[in-house]
Amino acid sequence: MKHLTDEELMLAVADGELKKLSVLFDRYNVRIYNFFNKMLQNKMVSEDLTQEVFIKVLKYRTSYKNGNFTSWIYTIARNIFSSYYQKQKKERSNIIEDDLLNSEEKLHTESNTEELEHLQKSLLQLNSSDRELIVMHRFQEIKYEQIAEIIGSSEGAVKVKVHRALKKLKDIYFQTVHN
């Protein structure tokens, strides 16, 4: 089964071969978890949302129509994130403040860790759509073409949006270093 493509596996799952979903789970659960964790900086919620993605993959397996599986599963993940984000919108500032406080406690370690923590804090200051683009492109290493498919945009527009989001991140990162 390891020689089958993601698309072949998902088509088999859609046809009722549910055991093959475990191969897709093994291939994608860490990536999906990392996507959520970079977006939220909350391990428990990231684990829950990752489970929810695979529950939805199973639930909506018959809607899969032989497209790019990575784009399909990340579209599900984005929708789940969006729903979660909307539910948490009122509490968002509290969540970010808590995460920043937790990050500050960890800053008493070596320089590399400090830079990573500073980057995480800067990333959290971006709006969710900019943060999502950076996480998908830089941390998840999803190609522009696939991101365009996931967010319903053109590849050129995605390149511009990622570039602008990275510039904002860079500005936030260096602004807070000098303050």
Side-chain angles (χ1 to χ4, degrees):
M1 269 195 272
K2 294 188 190 242
H3 65 280
L4 295 175
T5 67
D6 298 339
E7 290 76 13
E8 291 168 333
L9 286 167
M10 190 59 216
L11 285 172
V13 170
D15 285 341
E17 296 179 53
L18 303 184
K19 288 185 178 180
K20 291 189 177 175
L21 183 58
S22 67
V23 177
L24 289 170
F25 179 83
D26 290 342
R27 290 181 185 177
Y28 281 87
N29 79 71
V30 172
R31 291 171 64 186
I32 297 295
Y33 167 82
N34 287 337
F35 167 74
F36 288 129
N37 200 36
K38 290 287 183 197
M39 294 297 291
L40 298 166
Q41 294 296 298
N42 185 319
K43 291 179 181 181
M44 289 179 62
V45 172
S46 297
E47 288 171 3
D48 291 345
L49 295 180
T50 300
Q51 285 182 341
E52 196 174 327
V53 167
F54 287 95
I55 290 168
K56 295 241 189 223
V57 166
L58 187 59
K59 183 176 180 180
Y60 297 109
R61 66 187 179 275
T62 57
S63 72
Y64 178 75
K65 301 295 181 214
N66 201 23
N68 181 292
F69 178 77
T70 301
S71 297
W72 189 72
I73 196 167
Y74 273 96
T75 299
I76 292 171
R78 271 186 89 228
N79 290 339
I80 288 170
F81 174 75
S82 179
S83 295
Y84 173 81
Y85 184 80
Q86 293 304 318
K87 288 177 191 172
Q88 301 298 318
K89 200 169 190 176
K90 292 177 186 171
E91 299 172 26
R92 184 169 183 257
S93 62
N94 292 340
I95 290 171
I96 290 174
E97 286 173 20
D98 289 347
D99 283 344
L100 289 177
L101 289 174
N102 291 337
S103 294
E104 286 176 314
E105 291 170 7
K106 297 175 191 171
L107 283 175
H108 301 294
T109 57
E110 64 187 77
S111 170
N112 238 359
T113 305
E114 288 178 17
E115 289 177 21
L116 182 60
E117 293 292 332
H118 182 66
L119 178 61
Q120 294 292 2
K121 284 200 278 186
S122 300
L123 193 59
L124 285 172
Q125 291 178 40
L126 290 173
N127 67 45
S128 66
S129 59
D130 286 341
R131 186 168 62 243
E132 179 182 62
L133 288 169
I134 291 172
V135 168
M136 282 195 283
H137 182 65
R138 292 296 171 117
F139 294 101
Q140 298 289 305
E141 298 178 353
I142 299 174
K143 294 182 170 81
Y144 289 123
E145 178 184 346
Q146 289 179 315
I147 294 172
E149 196 174 317
I150 292 166
I151 67 170
S153 186
S154 71
E155 186 176 346
V158 168
K159 286 180 182 178
V160 170
K161 288 176 183 178
V162 168
H163 177 76
R164 288 179 180 160
L166 286 169
K167 183 180 181 331
K168 288 178 195 174
L169 178 63
K170 181 180 167 186
D171 291 346
I172 290 168
Y173 181 87
F174 288 112
Q175 180 180 18
T176 54
V177 165
H178 292 73
N179 289 340

